[in-house]
Each structure stands twice: as C-alpha cells, then as structure tokens.
Amino acid sequence: ADSTLHSFVVQARESLETYYLLNLVGLDTAPASRHGDQLLCQLEVPQQHQSIVSKCFDIIIENSPDPTQRPRDKSQVSLKVKFAPLRPFVAMCNLVITRASGGRWRFDVKLEATEPEVDDTISIQSPLNKPASVAFRLTNHSSVYAEFDAFFDAESAYEFTVSPTSGVLEPAGTSGTTFVITYKPTEYGKPVQGKLIIQTEDVYWSYLVKGTHPKYSAPVVEKPKVATRLSKDVAQEMQKNQQARRKKNFIRDNMGGAAALRDA
C-alpha cells in the first residue's frame, strides 16, 4: 500500500476538475494494453459521508487531453477528478484500484471542502437592553424540501439569536423559509458580530451579522427664552448714571444735609 495521503481540497460552492497521476507498483509487468481497459477504481467512503460524497465527488480512470499530463511510464495511471461540494466537510477515504487479471492497489485519500465566503453581511442597530430584529427568506439550492439547522458559531457574540433553529427549508422557486435574527445589547462597548450558519445535509450558507448602538447625539442647547444680556441702550444709560454718581461729592452733600437739620 502507498503511505502517501492524497488530498483533494476545494472551497465549498467552488469546483475542482483535474487529472491526477498515481504510481501503481508492479503495473509495468502486465501485458501492454490500455489501463482503462483492465483497471477499475472504487472509492471507499465512511458511512457518515457516503451521501454527500456521492453527490459531489467523482473519480474515474481517464487520460488527460493534454499529452504533457499523461502517464510517462507503464507504472502510472491517470485519474480524472471532479469535486464540487456545496458545504464544508472532511472525509478520509480509501481509493482501491483493481486489475482484472489480478492486482490490487490501495491509497489513502482525503477530501476536504473548506468554508465558503459569507453570503451576505447583516447589520442590526439597537439601543441598550432593547431587542431589534431583521428578517429574511431563504430557499433550498434545489427544487426539493430539506431539513435544516440554523445557529451562530461558537465565536459569535451572545447578544444574537436566530429563529427558527431547525425545520424544513422550502425548495427553490418558492417564497422561501423566513429566518429572524434578533440583537439585544446588554452593555455599551465596541460593536459586536457573529456568524450565522444555516445548513442542510448538502448545502451551507453563512452570514456575518454586526450589532451596533445608535449614534450618540449630544443634546442641543436652545437659545434662552429670558434675555440675560442688557440691550445696548440700557447699558449706555446705566454707564452714564454710574459716572454721574462718581462725580458727585457725597461728603459735601452730607454736610449740607446736617447743617439744614441744625437750622430747623
């Protein structure tokens, strides 16, 4: 058996099509003939991944149309690989190649579909301790109903919730299943975010959800309704009175007032 781990990696909702060469030790001793006529390949998949792998992965013995990518010696075989997953997963499989006249080769194969880019970004604004919600609709990738799970991943802020968390997703071409995201902030601070994941057995959607507070606006001070400043005319009149009082001889006036009282 070959101890090499042969990996096929692609992002979910993308596709990989390639030709892959394998070395079959001892194959060159067989009578000269086309490999495809005498060799058969079969992928052994763990039971928990059989359904999804059967829908998105295909491997057959076939030469590339490009001569430079074809086997260069008799011990090599060319495989045509198609991998088009709709959701992330990792599956450890065994590829078994058998020859009709006798011979069996086993290879360890890793199929990995990585997480796709988020489908959309959803922003929700809500004041402290008050919930705010956003609703949207989603249909299945194909024209059949499918059971789903909906949840926020482990790194998401706890202020987010989604409803429903499970159910049946309506098929493509319908109005879709309604999902409601609720955000209830419990403290002021930096904006928070979470990643909402909705998945069926075959398909995966994800949304980046951002929660913010309303912008703080300082209260606007209105003009005072009672005038607190003197008008120009009143100020000038008061200034004249002050100057007149300063010029007046209060000691003399007081003495005059005292003399008048004695004469009385």
Side-chain angles (χ1 to χ4, degrees):
D2 184 349
S3 60
T4 304
L5 178 63
H6 303 272
S7 297
F8 298 99
V9 183
V10 68
Q11 190 178 55
R13 299 213 298 268
E14 299 290 334
S15 61
L16 170 70
E17 291 193 24
T18 187
Y19 288 87
Y20 193 80
L21 297 178
L22 283 178
N23 290 309
L24 306 185
V25 178
L27 181 65
D28 54 348
T29 61
S33 62
R34 289 182 60 198
H35 292 164
D37 293 337
Q38 61 177 359
L39 296 174
L40 177 68
C41 73
Q42 181 181 3
L43 190 69
E44 296 178 348
V45 183
Q47 186 175 1
Q48 67 267 32
H49 293 119
Q50 285 179 0
S51 176
I52 191 168
V53 170
S54 66
K55 295 172 183 175
C56 69
F57 187 80
D58 188 40
I59 187 167
I60 58 173
I61 297 173
E62 184 178 307
N63 281 330
S64 168
D66 183 355
T68 62
Q69 294 183 3
R70 292 176 184 173
R72 296 182 180 180
D73 58 58
K74 293 179 181 179
S75 66
Q76 285 187 324
V77 63
S78 174
L79 300 171
K80 183 179 181 180
V81 175
K82 290 183 179 180
F83 190 19
L86 293 175
R87 60 165 290 175
F89 73 91
V90 177
M92 304 300 295
C93 309
N94 287 314
L95 178 67
V96 180
I97 297 180
T98 55
R99 183 172 58 192
S101 59
R104 184 182 177 92
W105 295 265
R106 182 180 290 271
F107 302 91
D108 292 327
V109 172
K110 178 183 178 182
L111 305 181
E112 181 176 3
T114 61
E115 285 198 7
E117 299 295 325
V118 295
D119 292 274
D120 203 355
T121 299
I122 300 171
S123 295
I124 309 177
Q125 187 180 90
S126 182
L128 196 64
N129 292 318
K130 291 187 178 180
S133 298
V134 170
F136 66 97
R137 291 178 176 271
L138 183 68
T139 62
N140 194 14
H141 190 77
S142 60
S143 58
V144 296
Y145 289 90
E147 293 185 358
F148 70 84
D149 291 309
F151 56 93
F152 279 92
D153 71 7
E155 297 177 2
S156 298
Y158 65 89
E159 291 93 340
F160 295 113
T161 56
V162 62
S163 178
T165 56
S166 62
V168 177
L169 196 62
E170 294 191 14
T174 64
S175 58
T177 302
T178 300
F179 292 88
V180 179
I181 302 171
T182 301
Y183 168 54
K184 185 180 180 182
T186 56
E187 58 184 0
Y188 283 114
K190 293 180 179 179
V192 296
Q193 65 181 39
K195 186 174 184 180
L196 172 64
I197 296 169
I198 302 172
Q199 61 183 12
T200 67
E201 184 182 23
D202 303 320
V203 195
Y204 174 104
W205 296 266
S206 61
Y207 302 87
L208 178 62
V209 183
K210 296 183 177 181
T212 59
H213 303 296
K215 268 191 174 180
Y216 173 75
S217 299
V220 178
V221 180
E222 296 182 356
K223 289 184 178 180
K225 295 177 181 178
V226 178
T228 57
R229 290 191 179 186
L230 298 173
S231 69
K232 189 176 180 181
D233 294 339
V234 173
Q236 288 176 346
E237 189 64 31
M238 288 182 69
Q239 191 174 11
K240 286 178 184 178
N241 292 337
Q242 287 174 353
Q243 289 172 349
R245 281 200 298 271
R246 279 199 294 269
K247 289 177 182 178
K248 204 170 184 181
N249 191 326
F250 286 101
I251 296 175
R252 185 188 61 199
D253 291 347
N254 289 337
M255 289 176 67
L261 288 170
R262 284 197 305 271
D263 295 339

